[in-house]
Amino acid sequence: MRRLGMLLLVLAAPIHRAPAQTPDSAAPPPLFVVRDALYAGAFAVGTLAIAPLDKKIADYLQGTPQAHRLLHPFSRSVEVITFPGAFVIGGGLYGAGRLAKNREMAELGLHGTEAILIGLGVTSVLKYSVGRARPYVARNPHDYGFGRGLHDERYRSFPSGHTLIAFAAAAAVTQETSEFWSHSTWYVAPAMYGGATLVGLSRMYNNKHWASDVIMGAAIGTFSGLKVVKYHHDHPNNRFDRWLLGASISGADAGGVLRLLVLPMTAMPGR
């Protein structure tokens, strides 16, 4: 152990003598930290804790609340706004931002959509492999079948994809806007996460998901949104942003043809 300690001191010595790195040359902070594991563990515990109540919650939501007629169109509207609405909104923000040369708007749409797609990739693997029956198929929350989600949409209950989309968008938008407008978090976060919570409740109300499906979807979506935005802001010159935020649409030429020019990111206003 003494030799190992001396070796570590020798290896560390050049590091202390080296000149400090400039902000431009400093390595970006790690994308994943120990705190992430703690958050993931907390969501996992929460999912396991609510799982025994899945049937009780589902039975309640399919009882008295179904008598409220306004809840039916409201819950359907919330779901449509989430999917395909989230992709329409994200694509619209990106396109409008590019045309108006508004980098903040373009990043908001691009990174929000990216977070959703990455989150959907994770949930798709779980949906197809776990094969959990949706509540309207079987009133048994413990009805799992490995791999059957590949062949039948009715067995893709875990986790909730709509909830994932809503929370991925909420996390990405909240984090992105806080980077540009630091004082906006106090009203953007409640609005976005509150809307995402309504999506999860609507999926349970419409008998499409168990409560534990919704919690896990929210966890994956939140994690995806936060990490996508963090990565892009820690790596501002990454290839993805260079190509998709560095392309500039010029005006029509003499022949009336709209030309697409790919320019470096430094050409973007506000960079």
Side-chain angles (χ1 to χ4, degrees):
M1 291 295 295
R2 183 180 299 175
R3 292 180 179 178
L4 178 59
M6 293 179 65
L7 177 61
L8 291 176
L9 288 175
V10 171
L11 292 175
I15 297 176
H16 292 294
R17 291 196 299 265
Q21 289 180 313
T22 62
D24 292 336
S25 62
L31 182 60
F32 299 100
V33 295
V34 174
R35 185 173 55 187
D36 296 330
L38 297 178
Y39 286 153
F43 272 110
V45 169
T47 302
L48 292 174
I50 204 170
L53 301 176
D54 274 341
K55 188 175 188 305
K56 187 174 183 179
I57 294 173
D59 289 343
Y60 169 75
L61 290 175
Q62 297 311 303
T64 303
Q66 296 294 321
H68 298 279
R69 295 182 179 180
L70 292 179
L71 289 179
H72 288 279
F74 176 76
S75 64
R76 298 294 183 187
S77 299
V78 167
E79 291 184 358
V80 172
I81 292 173
T82 305
F83 180 79
F87 291 100
V88 175
I89 295 171
L93 286 172
Y94 171 72
R98 296 299 294 115
L99 289 171
K101 296 184 178 181
N102 185 320
R103 183 181 179 85
E104 288 82 2
M105 183 184 297
E107 284 192 4
L108 197 63
L110 179 63
H111 297 162
T113 303
E114 182 186 355
I116 292 172
L117 291 175
I118 291 175
L120 284 176
V122 176
T123 56
S124 295
V125 172
L126 291 173
K127 281 177 174 288
Y128 297 150
S129 58
V130 172
R132 189 183 198 184
R134 294 185 184 273
Y136 68 82
V137 175
R139 301 305 292 173
N140 176 16
H142 305 293
D143 188 354
Y144 295 89
F146 182 77
R148 65 182 178 180
L150 283 169
H151 312 290
D152 196 332
E153 194 274 341
R154 297 177 302 168
Y155 297 98
R156 298 174 188 168
S157 187
F158 182 85
S160 170
H162 278 72
T163 306
L164 167 120
I165 292 174
F167 275 88
V173 169
T174 301
Q175 190 71 8
E176 197 75 67
T177 52
S178 69
E179 297 282 347
F180 302 135
W181 309 290
S182 58
H183 300 295
S184 67
T185 305
W186 71 271
Y187 59 87
V188 172
M192 294 302 299
Y193 283 107
T197 300
L198 289 178
V199 173
L201 291 173
S202 74
R203 295 302 282 169
M204 292 189 291
Y205 176 80
N206 289 326
N207 208 26
K208 298 295 180 65
H209 285 287
W210 306 99
S212 54
D213 300 337
V214 168
I215 290 181
M216 185 53 67
I220 298 173
T222 301
F223 195 78
S224 177
L226 293 177
K227 290 304 173 182
V228 164
V229 174
K230 175 177 171 55
Y231 173 81
H232 284 288
H233 284 275
D234 288 345
H235 303 79
N237 292 317
N238 66 83
R239 184 176 300 177
F240 188 79
D241 277 355
R242 282 205 309 271
W243 281 98
L244 294 181
L245 291 175
S248 177
I249 300 177
S250 72
D253 60 15
V257 178
L258 191 64
R259 296 171 296 171
L260 180 66
L261 302 179
V262 179
L263 302 175
M265 289 187 70
T266 53
M268 285 288 293
R271 182 63 185 166

